[in-house]
Amino acid sequence: MLITFSDLTSIPVLWLQIAITAIWVLVILMIAWVVNRFTDKPEIVRKIVHIGTGNVILLAWWLDIPASVGITASILASAITLLSYRLPILPGINSVGRQSFGTFFYSVSFGILVASFWYLQQPQYAALGILIMTWGDGLAALIGQRFGTHKYKVFGTQKSWEGSLTMMFVTYLISSLILIGTQGNNWQTWAISLVVAFIATGLEAVSFLGIDNLTVPLGSAALAFFLSQLILS
């Protein structure tokens, strides 16, 4: 049956918002599933999900999705990821050759940031924190594994300078774009972005058990928020 524009406009806005985000997540999971069938590199599958689903925060921000929806989604995702450590619910996502609760922490951080910054009516900081983890950590891991020849260790976890520099650059870029777009182009914004980039890179280096998936987004968002309130108010 043909669906007309008038049919779409009769659908409650909330359900349209949920449908758009759900479709995006399903597409990402489908891509990850297909890639998982044709590769023996689970880290690639994990990063597809990591980077792809993280961009949902932009949809939540731009579509002005209620905080309750984001928090509920975070709780459900956290529960599913916990089960996936015992059951093959998300094959290839958690099996990265090391003990890690990163996927769980990632889901938890989403809910905490939405609950905090939607309440403060400052959703840009939630987006900043999640996107730094999404793109910064995701690309740092891929670049580090592919080109990371200069290694160092933090609390027994091996990192590479190539990966850390990637994390710093991507974090600085994301912070600058979001803060300039919401606070204006001034030296304070560039300075805040630089501080956030250094701190986020340090937090990402301390990543035992995947704890960086919690500390990086929460730390980056909180730091950017408080520095903005301190310097720009």
Side-chain angles (χ1 to χ4, degrees), residues 139-152:
L139 292 178
L142 294 176
I143 295 296
Q145 290 177 10
R146 180 65 178 85
F147 303 103
T149 57
H150 301 85
K151 308 291 185 180
Y152 67 94

Side-chain angles (χ1 to χ4, degrees), residues 75-111:
I75 293 172
L76 291 175
S78 300
I80 292 172
T81 53
L82 279 180
L83 286 175
S84 72
Y85 290 110
R86 292 292 183 180
L87 303 173
I89 299 175
L90 302 174
I93 293 179
N94 298 314
S95 52
V96 293
R98 63 182 185 273
Q99 185 180 14
S100 173
F101 294 97
T103 309
F104 169 70
F105 290 139
Y106 191 43
S107 302
V108 170
S109 66
F110 189 98

Side-chain angles (χ1 to χ4, degrees), residues 135-144 147 160-173 201 204:
W135 288 99
D137 177 76
L139 292 178
L142 294 176
I143 295 296
F147 303 103
S160 72
W161 287 108
E162 290 82 358
S164 292
L165 288 174
T166 299
M167 175 70 182
M168 185 177 297
F169 173 76
V170 174
T171 298
Y172 184 67
L173 181 62
T201 302
E204 193 274 336

Side-chain angles (χ1 to χ4, degrees), residues 3-68:
I3 299 177
T4 65
F5 180 76
S6 60
D7 294 325
L8 290 177
T9 55
S10 65
I11 300 175
V13 174
L14 177 60
W15 287 109
L16 282 175
Q17 294 170 330
I18 293 175
I20 292 171
T21 54
I23 290 171
W24 175 266
V25 173
L26 288 175
V27 168
I28 296 301
L29 292 177
M30 181 61 68
I31 293 173
W33 180 81
V34 171
V35 173
N36 187 58
R37 294 290 298 270
F38 296 98
T39 184
D40 58 353
K41 297 179 179 179
E43 183 69 11
I44 294 179
V45 177
R46 184 171 175 269
K47 291 307 177 185
I48 289 174
V49 176
H50 179 93
I51 294 175
T53 57
N55 290 298
V56 166
I57 193 66
L58 286 177
L59 293 176
W61 178 17
W62 294 340
L63 296 175
D64 195 24
I65 292 177
S68 58

Side-chain angles (χ1 to χ4, degrees), residues 118-129:
W118 256 247
Y119 173 77
L120 294 173
Q121 297 184 343
Q122 301 282 349
Q124 67 268 26
Y125 295 106
L128 182 146

